[in-house]
């Protein structure tokens, strides 16, 4: 029985999830280079041919802008945090750098696995572009327009709250996404608290190690070597604790933040569908009025058919997107949690090994 359990556990731990659903187009970022004012990424694209290009973060922003409304990315904020960390110690810088590369890679993989966005010309040009590109920022008019849209959307959401849903599937999805977002947000806050606690422990190890080194300078030779060894132990434990913190941040906190954005995107999709439903219902009312008055009936019928087609189209695509979202969400959480658990075990073993080595040294 024990052998069967071990075999089952090994099978579970060896499960890997490939976010590149389409085998004809696979993307990864094997290398990145941080420069003074930008981060450059080496992007490998494997499709009907293999292509390697050097792209900097402004290009990611450009792609995100071109596909606006369909995809969201953290590349801007991630790059800012990377520049802030460049002045700190090398370990923290490398941890943030690794997180930056991971977020950009996931961004590209999500587009490549999407049935529509993967065929977008802007995306293919982006992958094949191998020169520098100056990206225009949003002007005041565009920023103000975006602000007005958000205000209108907020007002619409209040008005649409009383709209009766015609399909149980979407009603259940709305309720689920609201509850799920609150749970993910709460889990993200707790995960951030956990990573900060590990970071605080690492900082305490630094202080303890420094105090032991200072104390060793004032002690006799016999005690001095023991104090120095313990100080060295705490310095090594600090490095392990820092790795625990960065791995938990990358594998758990970032995943939760990423899915908070995904849930917002899913809620936006349901909002657009509700908007189409309201337009369709209003067109039905307008058609009834036109028939009663026997005025502009053909125009009202054409408008009603157009609204009906738009509503049916967005309902079909929304259902596919939400079902795909569920499958990818489960796969992504399974992949990251397995990887995080394996890293936690690895770090715990390192801690035990360091402590045991120090004890053995004292015994001898």
């Amino acid at each position: 029985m024990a052998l069967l359990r071990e075999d089952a556990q090994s099978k579970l731990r060896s499960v890997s999830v490939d976010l590149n659903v389409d085998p004809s187009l696979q993307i990864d970022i094997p290398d990145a280079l941080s420069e003074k004012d930008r981060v450059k990424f080496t992007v490998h694209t494997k499709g009907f041919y293999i292509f390697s290009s050097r792209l900097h973060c402004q290009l990611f922003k450009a792609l995100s802008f071109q596909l606006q409304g369909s995809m969201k990315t953290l590349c801007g904020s991630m790059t800012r945090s990377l520049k802030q960390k460049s002045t700190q110690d090398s370990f923290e810088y490398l941890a943030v750098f690794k997180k930056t590369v991971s977020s950009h890679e996931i961004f590209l993989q999500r587009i490549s696995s999407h049935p529509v966005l993967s065929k977008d010309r802007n995306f293919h040009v982006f992958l094949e572009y191998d020169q520098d590109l100056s990206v225009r920022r949003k002007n005041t008019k565009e920023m103000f327009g975006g602000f007005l849209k958000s205000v209108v959307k907020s007002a619409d959401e209040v008005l649409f709250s009383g709209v009766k849903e015609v399909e149980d599937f979407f009603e259940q999805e709305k309720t689920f996404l609201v509850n799920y977002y609150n749970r993910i947000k709460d889990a993200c806050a707790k995960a951030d608290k956990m990573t900060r606690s590990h970071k605080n422990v690492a900082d305490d190890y630094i202080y303890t190690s420094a105090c032991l080194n200072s104390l060793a300078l004032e002690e006799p030779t016999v005690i001095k070597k023991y104090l120095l060894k313990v100080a060295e132990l705490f310095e090594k434990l600090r490095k392990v604790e820092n790795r625990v913190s960065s791995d938990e941040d990358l594998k758990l906190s970032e995943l939760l933040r990423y899915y908070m954005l995904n849930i917002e995107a899913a809620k936006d999709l349901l909002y657009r569908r509700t908007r189409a439903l309201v337009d369709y219902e209003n067109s039905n009312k307008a058609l009834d009025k036109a028939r009663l008055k026997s005025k502009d009936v053909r125009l009202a019928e054409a408008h009603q058919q157009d609204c009906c087609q738009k509503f049916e189209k967005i309902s079909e695509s929304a259902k596919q997107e939400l079902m795909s979202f569920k499958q990818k969400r489960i796969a992504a959480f399974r992949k990251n949690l397995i990887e995080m658990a394996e890293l936690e075990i690895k770090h715990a073993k390192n801690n035990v090994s360091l402590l045991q080595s120090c004890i053995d040294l004292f015994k001898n």
Side-chain angles (χ1 to χ4, degrees), residues 307-325:
C307 290
C308 179
Q309 289 175 358
K310 287 181 179 178
F311 174 67
E312 289 177 349
K313 184 179 179 180
I314 194 172
S315 294
E316 183 181 354
S317 63
K319 187 172 287 188
Q320 292 175 356
E321 288 284 350
L322 290 170
M323 291 173 68
S324 174
F325 171 65

Side-chain angles (χ1 to χ4, degrees), residues 247-270:
D247 286 340
E248 287 177 347
D249 185 40
L250 178 62
K251 296 297 181 182
L252 184 58
S253 297
E254 278 301 301
L255 179 70
L256 293 169
R257 276 190 284 271
Y258 181 73
Y259 271 94
M260 284 173 65
L261 291 176
N262 277 343
I263 295 167
E264 288 289 352
K267 287 163 70 177
D268 287 344
L269 175 60
L270 291 176

Side-chain angles (χ1 to χ4, degrees), residues 277-291 300 303-305 307-308:
L277 173 60
V278 170
D279 291 341
Y280 178 45
E281 290 178 344
N282 289 337
S283 70
N284 286 332
K285 293 176 183 177
L287 179 59
D288 291 339
K289 288 181 180 179
R291 284 172 177 169
H303 179 62
Q304 189 261 357
Q305 289 177 1
C307 290
C308 179

